[in-house]
Amino acid sequence: MVAWDRVTDADVQRAIQDYDRLGPEAFFAEHGFGPTTTYDLVRDERRYPPKAILGTAYEFATGQRLGSGDFEGGKSGAVAVLGKLGFTVQHR
């Protein structure tokens, strides 16, 4: 079971910084996720793939890498977890 309570807003911010530093293609290649189709994490007027950001934040927090199939990216998954941490996620 995924322990989302171990992920902090600082872990998410670190994942966002990694995305900004690497760019989308390199970020996806390094962390094993792909682009989003339904929701965007919005921060400082930029848009990010919420599932990829949260999965990477989980890896930073726990040292355990999740695959895309290990958790839901939609309303009941990544969107809900990121919302509880204070991040804005919008439907496309």
Side-chain angles (χ1 to χ4, degrees):
M1 183 160 190
V2 180
W4 294 123
D5 59 329
R6 295 183 58 192
V7 177
T8 67
D9 63 331
D11 297 314
V12 175
Q13 290 176 42
R14 182 177 167 200
I16 289 170
Q17 290 170 346
D18 203 41
Y19 184 93
D20 286 342
R21 180 179 62 82
L22 294 171
E25 288 183 28
F27 181 88
F28 297 142
E30 183 163 323
H31 296 288
F33 291 91
T36 186
T37 58
T38 309
Y39 293 94
D40 289 318
L41 185 157
V42 181
R43 179 138 176 106
D44 298 328
E45 298 182 24
R46 296 199 57 193
R47 296 184 173 276
Y48 300 90
K51 188 172 184 179
I53 295 295
L54 182 60
T56 301
Y58 188 83
E59 182 179 357
F60 290 156
T62 68
Q64 178 185 357
R65 177 173 272 200
L66 296 174
S68 183
D70 292 334
F71 66 102
E72 164 69 35
K75 258 187 170 176
S76 63
V79 173
V81 174
L82 290 165
K84 287 179 185 175
L85 289 170
F87 292 91
T88 301
V89 181
Q90 296 176 344
H91 195 277
R92 281 188 161 186

